[in-house]
Amino acid sequence: GQREPVHKGAHQLLVTRQALTGLMMDRSRQLIEQLADGEWHSGEVLAEMLGVSRAAVWKRLQALEGLGLELEATRGKGYRLARKLELLSEQNIGAGLRQSLKYVVPVEVFSQIDSTNVYLMSGDVAPAAVFAEYQSAGRGRRGRAWCSPFGANLYFSFAWRFETMPPQLPALSLAVGVSLAETLSAKGAGGLGLKWPNDLLWQGRKLGGILIEHRGEAAGPCRVVVGVGLNLAMTSTQGAAIDQGWVSLEEILRSGGHALPSRNELATQLIARLHQCLEQFAHSGFDSFHPRWEALDVSRNQVVRIQQEKETIEGLAQGVDRSGALLVQVRGERCRFFSGEISLRVKQSA
Ligand code: BTN
């Protein structure tokens, strides 16, 4: 009826704007690719390469700074990144996965996206891996935001299909935590731990987080999206908005005399391990991960405070059960806590 033309017009506008954003992002991507080497590049050369004015280059770089990319500008020299950047590459990760897995896993890399989890939750392909250099609406657990400055860390999601919903599904995030910790330990990161339900920690500081979302009915097939955010080389400026202690893999590796591995290589290995983890989980659930999780558990035998909606409970943490529930001794009674309901704070020992 009367509304139709308005609706059509709005739709058209949206399509055009999306196409434009895509085009702009292509140019910005070219720009970052030029700057990735960490050397100085003159505004003039950059402008020529992109076929735009120097003012346009400057504007585009300002926009990238707005995404958290750290840039330096000096009159006479031009621009350079605060540090060299190895951009993620679909070809590189895809080829690596073809070598290490017997399956083909489609890989997509976005320069920017709202959230890799949101993207995969609305899709159907599985398995599938999606990475982003920047997320404008990165999601953390419990409705929090996940700080996702451009190129500083790894932000990725992995989609999987279970023929029927595994009864131990709540424990999947624990299994994923084990896989992450083991993969990174093999890279030389010593002293990693897991805090229930799924924080990856080092000396009490958060290195990474896992957000699992799923859709499907209890009886039928189930699509699961495993989202992982892993701090690689975030600067204090880039991470300024984070309201808890955090650490980057680079700092952990440096303290053990190791260098940060290639981002593409790490990305490939993490997906390969995640693939393995999900296969194993589909086959035998949490059981084979259980002892490995407990070996990494930082809260074991610690007094913990569990914040629930209305009350705070204190007790002695005693690991997890087969379903991934946290076991806590509260006033002589053993209680089980389930993921998603509560947050847990390991009490600082005085
Ligand atoms: C947590 O709160 O500890 C979980 C953080 C999970 C963040 C990752 S980053 C990639 C993926 N996309 C998102 O929006 N969130 C997850």
Side-chain angles (χ1 to χ4, degrees):
Q2 232 182 345
R3 282 203 155 158
E4 211 175 8
V6 178
H7 177 76
K8 265 193 186 153
H11 182 68
Q12 248 163 23
L13 196 69
L14 195 73
V15 170
T16 321
R17 260 179 54 189
Q18 265 173 6
L20 264 176
T21 318
L23 197 70
M24 266 165 53
M25 222 26 231
D26 270 1
R27 289 261 169 76
S28 298
R29 175 85 192 180
Q30 284 177 351
L31 200 50
I32 302 163
E33 277 169 5
Q34 290 301 306
L35 291 164
D37 60 8
E39 303 293 330
W40 289 104
H41 294 267
S42 84
E44 208 177 330
V45 172
L46 292 172
E48 219 168 273
M49 185 207 70
L50 292 184
V52 297
S53 69
R54 285 169 64 174
V57 165
W58 179 76
K59 260 190 151 167
R60 223 171 274 276
L61 288 173
Q62 270 200 320
L64 284 167
E65 269 191 308
L67 307 187
L69 191 71
E70 287 190 352
L71 273 165
E72 291 167 13
T74 303
R75 202 181 288 275
K77 286 186 177 167
Y79 306 96
R80 74 167 177 194
L81 293 184
R83 57 179 296 162
K84 218 171 125 165
L85 172 61
E86 183 197 324
L87 290 163
L88 295 172
S89 142
E90 282 170 13
Q91 287 73 22
N92 194 323
I93 300 170
L97 286 175
R98 273 194 297 282
Q99 280 200 339
S100 55
L101 296 172
K102 50 183 185 289
Y103 306 104
V104 175
V105 177
V107 178
E108 275 182 288
V109 172
F110 287 90
S111 285
Q112 65 169 310
I113 197 169
D114 49 358
S115 148
T116 55
N117 260 38
V118 169
Y119 177 75
L120 276 185
M121 275 303 284
S122 66
D124 285 306
V125 180
V130 172
F131 291 82
E133 295 290 8
Y134 169 82
Q135 295 184 117
S136 57
R139 288 197 203 176
R141 289 180 58 246
R142 302 164 66 78
R144 283 190 291 246
W146 188 257
C147 177
S148 311
F150 194 101
N153 303 313
L154 283 182
Y155 322 112
F156 63 94
S157 298
F158 185 65
W160 188 262
R161 181 189 144 103
F162 291 107
E163 288 315 316
T164 54
M165 195 181 284
Q168 293 177 321
L169 192 61
L172 178 61
S173 74
L174 280 66
V176 170
V178 169
S179 294
L180 285 182
E182 289 177 351
T183 308
L184 298 174
S185 301
K187 289 273 159 213
L192 298 181
L194 294 170
K195 190 184 81 167
W196 189 90
N198 55 18
D199 283 1
L200 184 58
L201 297 181
W202 184 76
Q203 298 188 358
R205 293 149 74 192
K206 187 155 167 169
L207 170 63
I210 301 159
L211 178 68
I212 298 191
E213 300 181 76
H214 64 92
R215 64 164 212 247
E217 282 122 52
C222 169
R223 178 179 179 80
V224 171
V225 172
V226 177
V228 175
L230 185 67
N231 301 332
L232 288 195
M234 184 158 55
T235 66
S236 49
T237 314
Q238 290 171 324
I242 303 173
D243 61 0
Q244 72 183 119
W246 58 270
V247 66
S248 282
L249 185 62
E250 186 176 45
E251 182 185 337
I252 301 173
L253 289 173
R254 206 193 306 121
S255 77
H258 301 282
L260 201 60
S262 138
R263 283 177 91 217
N264 283 289
E265 184 192 309
L266 191 60
T268 306
Q269 285 171 6
L270 288 165
I271 294 295
R273 275 303 291 272
L274 210 50
H275 191 282
Q276 245 177 34
C277 166
L278 282 144
E279 266 188 326
Q280 182 157 16
F281 198 88
H283 181 254
S284 52
F286 182 54
D287 291 352
S288 66
F289 297 96
H290 194 171
R292 289 146 72 195
W293 195 87
E294 294 207 326
L296 290 158
D297 180 8
V298 297
S299 68
R300 194 173 182 84
N301 293 323
Q302 300 280 316
V303 178
V304 294
R305 213 181 305 149
I306 298 127
Q307 284 153 14
Q308 289 187 308
E309 247 167 55
K310 290 204 175 99
E311 54 173 347
T312 301
I313 296 165
E314 231 178 64
L316 197 65
Q318 298 183 318
V320 294
D321 70 8
R322 284 196 66 201
S323 70
L326 183 72
L327 301 171
V328 184
Q329 190 81 23
V330 184
R331 288 183 296 270
E333 207 181 307
R334 189 174 240 201
C335 303
R336 300 165 75 214
F337 293 93
F338 297 88
S339 136
E341 290 172 9
I342 64 175
S343 82
L344 172 148
R345 176 151 306 159
V346 177
K347 260 179 76 171
Q348 305 291 99
S349 42

